[in-house]
Amino acid sequence: MALLPILRYPDPRLHTIAQPVGSVDDEIRQLVADMAETMYEAPGVGLAATQVNVHKRVVVIDVSEDKTGLMALINPEILERSGEQECEEGCLSVPGIYEKVTRAERVKVRALNEKGESREIEAEGLLAVCIQHEIDHLDGKVFVEYLSSLKLSRIKSKLAKKARITA
């Protein structure tokens, strides 16, 4: 397994729309393993392949307290959304920034697992938010882009300043 470099917003590669995975093979399983290791090390609860500059529709998520609930979602698609919730979100590609975003409270998703088996998942709460957040990455969207243009401008300035300080 290997730690993968995470792209930082506003890197334009984060806006690349991920391509569907044709078949779940050893290469995809290795990608899932590397992404999981990267996510846990960061630490985070979700990571999309787009964030590590691999433009395939692959997501890893683990919202469990003890890090035993790893899920791989390959070619995920949201079938149903219901309700509404406002949650504070963060992102490994936008380090140190946390903002409230409105999302569906419940989602039903179809995806392949790392064995290539199709499954449907009904999720609510944090898991639903995480699934929506990661699928947004696959569609080339970062959570801060849901915010007002003023907030987004301030975030970009803050990140640019932080990048200059650490450079």
Side-chain angles (χ1 to χ4, degrees):
M1 294 199 300
L3 290 177
L4 304 170
I6 297 172
L7 299 177
R8 303 282 189 214
Y9 185 82
D11 190 310
R13 294 172 291 180
L14 289 168
H15 294 105
T16 305
I17 297 173
Q19 298 302 306
V21 171
S23 67
V24 179
D25 55 16
D26 287 343
E27 179 185 328
I28 294 298
R29 282 186 280 279
Q30 185 62 54
L31 175 62
V32 166
D34 291 345
M35 286 174 58
E37 183 179 2
T38 302
M39 174 188 71
Y40 288 130
E41 180 69 25
V45 296
L47 187 67
T50 303
Q51 292 176 271
V52 293
N53 202 29
V54 176
H55 303 288
K56 296 181 180 179
R57 297 191 71 81
V58 177
V59 165
V60 294
I61 295 173
D62 187 347
V63 296
S64 68
E65 291 290 325
D66 60 0
K67 306 298 179 210
T68 60
L70 181 64
M71 283 194 288
L73 303 177
I74 301 165
N75 297 335
E77 58 180 314
I78 296 177
L79 305 174
E80 296 174 19
R81 299 174 197 259
S82 62
E84 192 175 276
Q85 62 181 329
E86 187 178 69
C87 282
E88 189 170 78
E89 292 186 30
C91 180
L92 297 176
S93 291
V94 193
I97 304 295
Y98 300 90
E99 292 288 340
K100 290 189 181 291
V101 176
T102 301
R103 302 257 188 203
E105 185 176 15
R106 287 174 297 287
V107 293
K108 183 176 184 179
V109 181
R110 180 184 306 125
L112 300 175
N113 64 16
E114 60 275 11
K115 296 175 185 169
E117 302 163 337
S118 181
R119 61 184 180 160
E120 288 187 5
I121 299 163
E122 292 189 25
E124 60 185 12
L126 177 60
L127 180 57
V129 168
C130 195
I131 288 170
Q132 292 169 84
H133 177 111
E134 301 309 333
I135 290 175
D136 273 355
H137 277 300
L138 299 180
D139 294 334
K141 188 161 187 170
V142 181
F143 90 99
V144 293
E145 294 163 355
Y146 283 102
L147 307 175
S148 70
S149 56
L150 176 62
K151 273 191 176 180
L152 187 56
S153 176
R154 286 180 179 160
I155 288 168
K156 284 180 180 178
S157 294
K158 186 175 181 178
L159 292 172
K161 183 178 179 182
K162 190 186 291 186
R164 283 192 303 273
I165 292 169
T166 58

